[in-house]
Structures are given as structure tokens and as C-alpha cells.
Amino acid sequence: GKGKGFWKFAGGMARDAFANANNNGEAVEGFEKYTDEDLYKAVNGVKFDNLIRVDADELTYPLHVILRYNIERDVVEGTLKVEDIPRRWKDDMKSLLDVDVPNDTKGALQDIHWSMMAIGYFPTYLLGAMMAAQLYHYCQLEIPDLEERIERGEFTAVKEWLRRKVHMHGKRYKSLDELLEGEVGEKLNAEYFIRYLQDKYGELYQVA
């Protein structure tokens, strides 16, 4: 729901919904003035001062994952003590995102993962984003008018493509790399995700 084509499809529905009622049953005054492009920019805005991973935008979210992975790795390797995690968290938030963490509630205690011993889980979120960008690239090769279809709200072709390339295989492949290599011809490649972020946010913020 963050693509430009999607908001050309969904913009009208959003304007109708918000113009009619909010959670209190009242219309959101002035919402109808927002264009599809306005809505696209709004949902993709970068929150430079954000503290919370689940509230992060696509551009800064990877850094939240990298921060957690680095801490997990060092704890497991024995180079970081558990009691030093809050200080390390604050230091890394400052160095990676230039954000000051006011307390541990908005810092090292914000996620449930470590309390439930889900060590090593955070990187899967970033791996998923990388895989999505790579799959989208190959999907577009087979469906050249994919963006136009999305603009019209026609999702059947991409759903069928994903079914053939990913969903139908279940546990057939032993790893993510094996699946990608078998279905699109190459292992996980971060270049697609990097290019996606560069192209998208370069356009949004008018930076080269």
C-alpha cells in the first residue's frame, strides 16, 4: 500500500471514506482536497526523529533492524553484557539515526522479541523487504504493464505470479536462496532493495 500506482487506485476510496466519517462518525474536514500524489507522499514520509521500530518508514526501518541485530550478535558472542544493552541502544540510535532516546521504554524495552527469547528474529523483517523488491523486479519482467494494472485495481496477475513463484512451493525449497535461485534465477540480492529505496526516496525528496 505504499506504491504510487496503488494510491492512484486507492486515492478516491480514501477521500470518500475520510470525507464521510472518522472513528467518531464525523467527516474529516478538507480531506477531499488531497490528491493521489499527496496521499502517496504522506504515507511515504520519512520520520527522521522516530524512536519506535514499528512506526518507522521504509527508508529508516532497516537501520532499526541493523541496530538490533548488532546488539544480539554481540550479546551472543559475549562481547556485550545484558546490563549494558540500554546504553548501547542509545549510542547506536544516535550514531545510526541521530535520535536521542529519552528512556528504555522507547529504547531497548520497546519490543517483545528478546523477552520471549526470539533471538535472531529481527533480520527476517529486512530479509523479507529485500526479497519483496527482488520479486517485484522479476514480476515486472513477466508483466510489463504491472504498474498500470495496479492503478486500475487489477491484482489477479500479480497474485497468480506469486502463487506460481512462491506460495505453491510451501516447504519444497530448503532455504530462501534456494527458492529464489530456482524460481527467478538468482539468490537473494540486496541491490534490488537498495535501488528501490534510492529511486523512490530520491524522487520524493528530490535528491540524486
Side-chain angles (χ1 to χ4, degrees):
K2 288 182 176 289
K4 184 176 289 188
F6 177 81
W7 281 100
K8 288 181 180 179
F9 158 67
M13 290 186 287
R15 282 186 291 274
D16 289 343
F18 282 96
N20 291 328
N22 60 20
N23 290 336
N24 298 319
E26 301 172 351
V28 179
E29 186 176 352
F31 196 89
E32 68 279 357
K33 71 182 180 182
Y34 295 113
T35 66
D36 297 343
E37 183 73 12
D38 292 332
L39 297 175
Y40 167 69
K41 290 179 178 178
V43 299
N44 286 288
V46 176
K47 305 170 185 177
F48 291 101
D49 59 349
N50 177 57
L51 291 158
I52 309 301
R53 173 184 60 85
V54 296
D55 293 334
D57 52 87
E58 283 184 304
L59 188 63
T60 60
Y61 188 90
L63 296 175
H64 286 269
V65 172
I66 290 168
L67 177 148
R68 289 157 173 77
Y69 167 75
N70 287 340
I71 290 175
E72 289 180 333
R73 178 200 60 203
D74 291 351
V75 169
V76 170
E77 291 181 351
T79 59
L80 177 67
K81 295 180 180 179
V82 171
E83 57 264 34
D84 293 331
I85 289 177
R87 170 49 53 192
R88 169 68 177 277
W89 186 289
K90 292 177 180 179
D91 290 344
D92 285 3
M93 281 292 289
K94 186 65 177 178
S95 64
L96 289 172
L97 291 156
D98 196 26
V99 173
D100 294 310
V101 179
N103 54 59
D104 293 339
T105 300
K106 294 183 177 180
L109 297 179
Q110 67 179 262
D111 300 300
I112 66 170
H113 300 63
W114 292 340
S115 64
M116 56 187 287
M117 296 304 292
I119 307 299
Y121 195 93
F122 288 114
T124 64
Y125 298 130
L126 186 48
L127 290 171
M130 291 163 56
M131 181 181 181
Q134 188 169 348
L135 288 173
Y136 194 80
H137 167 79
Y138 282 100
C139 186
Q140 280 189 304
L141 292 181
E142 292 192 28
I143 310 173
D145 64 339
L146 179 57
E147 277 296 311
E148 290 78 10
R149 290 174 185 248
I150 292 173
E151 290 176 17
R152 296 192 299 267
E154 298 172 3
F155 306 109
T156 302
V158 67
K159 180 180 178 182
E160 174 58 23
W161 189 90
L162 285 170
R163 189 192 68 79
R164 288 189 292 106
K165 295 294 185 178
V166 181
H167 304 153
M168 68 178 288
H169 300 292
K171 296 177 67 175
R172 172 189 170 199
Y173 292 106
K174 296 180 180 179
S175 69
L176 173 63
D177 276 340
E178 189 175 303
L179 183 149
L180 287 171
E181 195 166 28
E183 296 303 318
V184 300
E186 66 172 337
K187 296 179 180 179
L188 185 66
N189 185 343
E191 287 300 317
Y192 298 101
F193 185 55
I194 294 170
R195 191 183 313 144
Y196 163 77
L197 293 177
Q198 289 174 332
D199 291 347
K200 181 175 189 175
Y201 289 93
E203 179 188 7
L204 280 169
Y205 287 90
Q206 296 297 296
V207 293

